[in-house]
């Protein structure tokens, strides 16, 4: 799937690599700055992908996505529902609870984002 501009590190702060992070200009208790249309479109696209991943992979025993968190230097595991909820929260202007991974995940039931993408691509190629 072209057009996904994140690698296996989803979900993440959309401004994580932005040197002009607008959050740095806000009061500490201000809500998250509004997302740009591009960011919203990107998150909506990812949200649709998560739904598709869940539809295709959940019946095969895959429960969600894992990624290496640069902040914690640990793997975080997210169920499909949690991923979708985080993205919906971001779209709603709420900070997503990125550091609240699933409790005691069965690590063999989670795949990297890129794996899920590749799996869908494989299905499309048939
Ligand atoms: Zn973390």
């Amino acid at each position: 799937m072209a057009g996904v501009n994140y690698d296996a590190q989803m979900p993440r702060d959309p401004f994580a690599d932005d040197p002009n992070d607008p959050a740095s200009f806000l009061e500490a208790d201000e809500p998250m700055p509004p997302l740009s249309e591009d960011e919203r479109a990107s998150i909506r696209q990812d949200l649709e992908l998560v739904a598709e991943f869940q539809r295709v992979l959940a019946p095969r025993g895959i429960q969600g996505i894992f990624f290496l968190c640069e902040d914690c230097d640990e793997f975080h595991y997210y169920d499909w529902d949690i991923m979708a909820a985080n993205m919906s929260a971001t779209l709603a202007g709420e900070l997503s609870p990125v550091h609240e991974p699933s409790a005691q995940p069965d690590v063999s039931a989670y795949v990297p984002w890129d794996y899920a993408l590749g799996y869908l691509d494989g299905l499309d190629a048939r």
Side-chain angles (χ1 to χ4, degrees):
M1 201 75 198
V4 172
N5 48 16
Y6 306 115
D7 50 23
Q9 293 159 12
M10 278 293 299
R12 56 182 298 185
D13 178 350
F15 299 113
D17 298 318
D18 186 346
N20 301 313
D21 183 350
S24 60
F25 302 112
L26 296 175
E27 302 287 331
D29 57 355
E30 285 283 309
M32 216 171 92
L35 297 168
S36 73
E37 271 312 304
D38 280 355
E39 286 160 346
R40 299 185 70 85
S42 172
I43 293 169
R44 279 198 206 94
Q45 185 182 41
D46 288 343
L47 197 51
E48 286 177 18
L49 277 171
V50 167
E52 190 75 354
F53 293 163
Q54 182 171 20
R55 189 179 66 77
V56 171
L57 293 172
R60 289 165 170 80
I62 305 298
Q63 295 174 18
I65 294 287
F66 76 84
F67 72 103
L68 180 62
C69 176
E70 291 176 352
D71 293 338
C72 307
D73 204 24
E74 287 178 5
F75 289 107
H76 288 346
Y77 298 85
Y78 295 98
D79 291 352
W80 304 120
D81 290 346
I82 293 174
M83 295 267 303
N86 283 356
M87 291 175 184
S88 296
T90 303
L91 282 174
E94 299 160 11
L95 282 172
S96 51
V98 169
H99 298 288
E100 292 177 20
S102 309
Q104 306 199 325
D106 172 5
V107 298
S108 66
Y110 294 78
V111 297
W113 179 267
D114 284 349
Y115 174 94
L117 266 186
Y119 198 95
L120 279 195
D121 284 347
L123 290 181
D124 288 346
R126 271 189 217 152

